[in-house]
Amino acid sequence: MREIKRMSSCPLSDVIEAWNSGFKGYFTDMTMSVDRFLQRMVQEGLSAEDSIVAYMDGVPAGIVLNGFRTVDGKTISYNGGTGVAPEFRRTGIGKQMMESAIEIYKQKEVDTATLEAINENTAAIKLYESLGYEITDRVDFLQQDGSLQPHFEDFELPYEYDFEHTTPEKVSKLSFYQKKSPWQTQWQSVANGEAVIVSHEGKQVGYALYRRSLKPDGNAAVIVLHQLGGDVDFHNPHNLVDSLLYKVLEPKRSCKRLIINLSTETKPQYETVMNRGFSTMISQVCMEKVMKEPIESNAKSIEKV
């Protein structure tokens, strides 16, 4: 018998089993411990009450994680992971879970549903497209290990830049903050992390959102860059991005550096990063499903009728 339950009503052991078996043999290792899973739920603002676990004859067979945020008065949902255990794949359970998730979105009056899918996962992308999702962007997960200094051999920070270390939430108030960037790159997903705003001649022109894990000696072990942004009218965008990278990523030290879900369409950021020693780990598509048509669109439809 097949059964779909809200995650909050399931034993935690079943939830972890559903996640780890659901992503068994995936394109990248998604295995999580209980602590890591709970940490991710909190860090990314995912909802246990609105996520679902599928059972097949009492066995945890699949999972869909869901989160919700309000952006400019609109409710945005995020699918934080859809997995089906190998023995239950190609049985239709994935589609049934997604249909259940979409019903939850409707109940919560979601305006736009979002998710990401790995490029090579063509079966999942086709499933999402069959449910009304469309590809809106392509993003890369990038990494660099060791010292960045060789890639900044002749670089010096411009004296006319001023850097302010601040909170991620303050960055979200900038007029050029990227509100529609992927869920994990938004300020809420790095709320307890760090942020830098750069100014030029007294005007704020760029920012970075990032998180650091430290070694016992206080030096960085891992630096995760969540978002790079800049004023589109700034006259020297590549130099601006270079300066933010240099300021945030500690190029003279050896550590692991990750940049998550960087859009290949944000040319100053993407091109500059790729010229500074980073390589692509994973490429994904961003997908959206419009749940509620904008009022303007509805008005135009009425006019046509």
Side-chain angles (χ1 to χ4, degrees):
M1 183 181 70
R2 186 180 297 178
E3 190 175 9
I4 306 291
K5 295 184 178 182
R6 296 294 179 105
M7 197 176 88
S8 55
S9 69
C10 302
L12 184 55
S13 57
D14 283 2
V15 174
I16 300 302
E17 181 181 347
W19 178 270
N20 288 335
S21 63
F23 287 94
K24 189 174 183 180
Y26 198 57
F27 299 90
T28 183
D29 186 7
M30 300 282 283
T31 306
M32 290 197 199
S33 64
V34 171
D35 288 346
R36 179 69 189 94
F37 183 86
L38 294 176
Q39 180 185 14
R40 180 170 181 244
M41 292 288 294
V42 173
Q43 179 177 313
E44 296 185 10
L46 300 174
S47 170
E49 292 76 16
D50 300 301
S51 298
I52 56 179
V53 175
Y55 288 82
M56 187 71 80
D57 295 327
V59 176
I63 191 169
V64 178
L65 300 184
N66 289 315
F68 305 87
R69 287 177 182 160
T70 301
V71 179
D72 288 340
K74 304 292 186 181
T75 301
I76 309 299
S77 70
Y78 174 62
N79 179 331
T82 297
V84 177
E87 60 268 35
F88 301 116
R89 291 170 188 168
R90 292 178 292 280
T91 65
I93 198 168
K95 183 177 182 180
Q96 185 176 350
M97 288 195 302
M98 284 298 300
E99 289 172 340
S100 296
I102 289 171
E103 285 304 311
I104 293 173
Y105 303 160
K106 291 177 180 178
Q107 293 168 15
K108 296 186 75 71
E109 299 186 344
V110 166
D111 291 276
T112 304
T114 70
L115 57 81
E116 292 105 36
I118 289 179
N119 278 353
E120 292 81 4
N121 197 355
T122 54
I125 292 172
K126 287 180 180 179
L127 169 61
Y128 301 143
E129 288 177 331
S130 73
L131 294 169
Y133 284 82
E134 296 181 350
I135 294 174
T136 57
D137 198 5
R138 298 183 183 275
V139 296
D140 282 356
F141 195 112
L142 307 163
Q143 71 169 353
Q144 190 276 339
D145 293 315
S147 171
L148 266 180
Q149 187 59 31
H151 300 281
F152 281 92
E153 194 73 43
D154 302 317
F155 184 80
E156 293 184 7
L157 283 176
Y159 71 89
E160 66 268 28
Y161 287 165
D162 293 314
F163 295 90
E164 174 192 359
H165 289 269
T166 185
T167 63
E169 185 174 8
K170 186 173 180 179
V171 165
S172 71
K173 309 300 182 184
L174 295 172
S175 62
F176 49 88
Y177 172 70
Q178 299 170 19
K179 297 178 182 179
K180 294 186 177 181
S181 65
W183 184 276
Q184 292 170 313
T185 72
Q186 295 173 12
W187 75 267
Q188 296 95 326
S189 294
V190 66
N192 61 346
E194 302 177 64
V196 167
I197 296 176
V198 59
S199 297
H200 178 264
E201 297 181 349
K203 180 183 179 182
Q204 294 172 326
V205 294
Y207 66 87
L209 296 173
Y210 63 104
R211 187 190 306 277
R212 294 186 299 164
S213 299
L214 302 179
K215 300 175 183 177
D217 63 5
N219 290 320
V222 182
I223 304 175
V224 182
L225 184 57
H226 286 247
Q227 194 178 139
L228 278 170
D231 186 338
V232 294
D233 294 325
F234 186 64
H235 68 280
N236 196 348
H238 289 86
N239 181 263
L240 176 64
V241 173
D242 263 340
S243 298
L244 281 165
L245 292 173
Y246 192 89
K247 192 71 175 178
V248 168
L249 296 182
E250 303 181 22
K252 295 182 180 180
R253 298 189 181 276
S254 291
C255 66
K256 174 175 283 189
R257 300 173 180 84
L258 303 172
I259 302 178
I260 62 173
N261 289 343
L262 180 63
S263 171
T264 60
E265 296 301 314
T266 54
K267 295 307 182 185
Q269 291 93 325
Y270 189 82
E271 290 173 354
T272 304
V273 163
M274 296 307 289
N275 286 333
R276 292 303 186 186
F278 282 82
S279 58
T280 301
M281 293 176 61
I282 301 169
S283 294
Q284 299 192 107
V285 294
C286 297
M287 305 186 75
E288 292 184 358
K289 174 181 172 65
V290 176
M291 300 292 298
K292 292 164 61 177
E293 290 291 342
I295 294 175
E296 295 83 359
S297 298
N298 289 333
K300 290 179 181 178
S301 297
I302 292 172
E303 287 178 3
K304 289 181 180 178
V305 173

